């Protein structure tokens, strides 16, 4: 299984990099500048799987997320960016039988960008991006009342991820809508053997530019 994931993401990395490397004929890929764009917004996510053939959403998560983007503009058009993300929110868990659990997400993606949001001085009214990276999602379970169990029981999910989205103006502010999916290569012991497949999220972010 891990070999198939490795082959898939290796092929994806090659596909993502082709548009960028096609610009290398211009003797230099980037224009030498570095830019920061900060975004913040809302994430709706779910840990998905299939139990005895029935699709399941084991955890449903809502969180506030912050993503600073380090942008490397290309000489001609577009850019490559490195995007760490951190989020904090609440989860309702079918698997754990509890709601309003604290949850966090942490990851880093690499994107190819075009149009709006690809750089600070891009004057387009629409943009798009896609990329890949690594994403984690952790449910923080606290139990101070039951003896014999640890008071803190983190439930982490970790794996590679792919995402893509669009950027546009909404009431005069730049907004991005995106979806992300990542197969969970690490699953907490409490969720093993029940068909967990991965973590799916949808995001709406406001750009501070």
């Amino acid at each position: 299984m891990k070999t198939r994931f490795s082959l898939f993401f290796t092929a994806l990395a090659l596909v993502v990099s082709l548009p960028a490397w096609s610009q290398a004929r211009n003797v230099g890929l980037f224009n030498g500048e570095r830019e920061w764009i900060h975004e913040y917004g809302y994430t709706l996510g779910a840990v998905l799987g299939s139990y005895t053939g029935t699709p399941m959403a084991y955890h449903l998560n809502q969180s506030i997320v912050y993503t600073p983007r380090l942008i490397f503009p290309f000489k001609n058009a577009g850019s490559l960016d490195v995007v760490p993300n951190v989020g904090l929110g609440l989860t309702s868990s079918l698997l754990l039988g509890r709601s309003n659990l604290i949850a966090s997400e942490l990851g880093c993606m690499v994107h190819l960008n075009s149009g709006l949001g690809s750089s600070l001085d891009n004057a387009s009214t629409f943009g798009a991006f896609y990329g890949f990276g690594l994403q984690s999602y952790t449910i923080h379970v606290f139990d101070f009342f039951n003896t014999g169990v640890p008071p803190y029981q983190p439930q982490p999910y970790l794996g590679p991820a792919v995402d893509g989205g669009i950027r546009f103006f909404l009431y005069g502010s730049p907004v991005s809508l995106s979806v992300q999916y990542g197969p969970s290569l690490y699953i907490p012991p409490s969720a093993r053997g029940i068909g967990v497949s991965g973590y799916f999220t949808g995001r709406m972010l406001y750009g501070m530019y």
Side-chain angles (χ1 to χ4, degrees):
M1 179 66 72
K2 291 185 178 180
T3 300
R4 285 186 290 174
F5 282 136
S6 298
L7 290 174
F8 171 75
F9 282 100
T10 299
L12 180 66
L14 291 173
V15 171
V16 169
S17 64
L18 281 177
W21 288 114
S22 68
Q23 300 185 53
R25 294 173 298 177
N26 295 312
V27 190
L29 185 62
F30 303 102
N31 67 7
E33 297 180 0
R34 305 290 182 268
E35 300 176 352
W36 282 99
I37 288 180
H38 300 272
E39 297 180 338
Y40 67 95
Y42 173 78
T43 291
L44 179 63
V47 173
L48 303 177
S50 177
Y51 185 65
T52 63
T54 303
M56 301 286 288
Y58 292 106
H59 310 291
L60 293 175
N61 176 60
Q62 300 181 71
S63 64
I64 301 300
V65 65
Y66 166 64
T67 62
R69 298 172 52 212
L70 176 57
I71 299 173
F72 302 87
F74 295 134
K75 279 189 173 181
N76 292 338
S79 67
L80 181 143
D81 65 14
V82 179
V83 188
N85 64 82
V86 58
L88 185 66
L90 296 175
T91 287
S92 294
S93 173
L94 176 64
L95 179 61
L96 300 175
R98 297 174 64 177
S99 60
N100 295 325
L101 295 168
I102 297 174
S104 63
E105 55 182 285
L106 182 66
C108 187
M109 307 295 291
V110 176
H111 294 141
L112 285 176
N113 307 276
S114 64
L116 177 65
S118 61
S119 64
L120 288 172
D121 59 357
N122 191 290
S124 301
T125 58
F126 181 83
F129 62 94
Y130 63 102
F132 65 100
L134 188 67
Q135 187 70 35
S136 70
Y137 166 70
T138 303
I139 301 172
H140 304 275
V141 179
F142 297 91
D143 191 340
F144 300 106
F145 303 103
N146 292 319
T147 59
V149 299
Y152 174 54
Q153 305 163 45
Q155 308 287 308
Y157 296 80
L158 174 66
V162 294
D163 69 351
I166 59 174
R167 298 186 179 99
F168 55 94
F169 283 100
L170 181 66
Y171 299 113
S173 298
V175 170
S176 72
L177 295 177
S178 65
V179 293
Q180 180 189 83
Y181 177 75
S184 295
L185 299 187
Y186 179 82
I187 298 171
S190 64
R192 295 173 187 172
I194 58 172
V196 172
S197 59
Y199 184 55
F200 179 85
T201 64
R203 285 180 179 160
M204 181 176 181
L205 300 176
Y206 289 89
M208 301 171 67
Y209 56 94

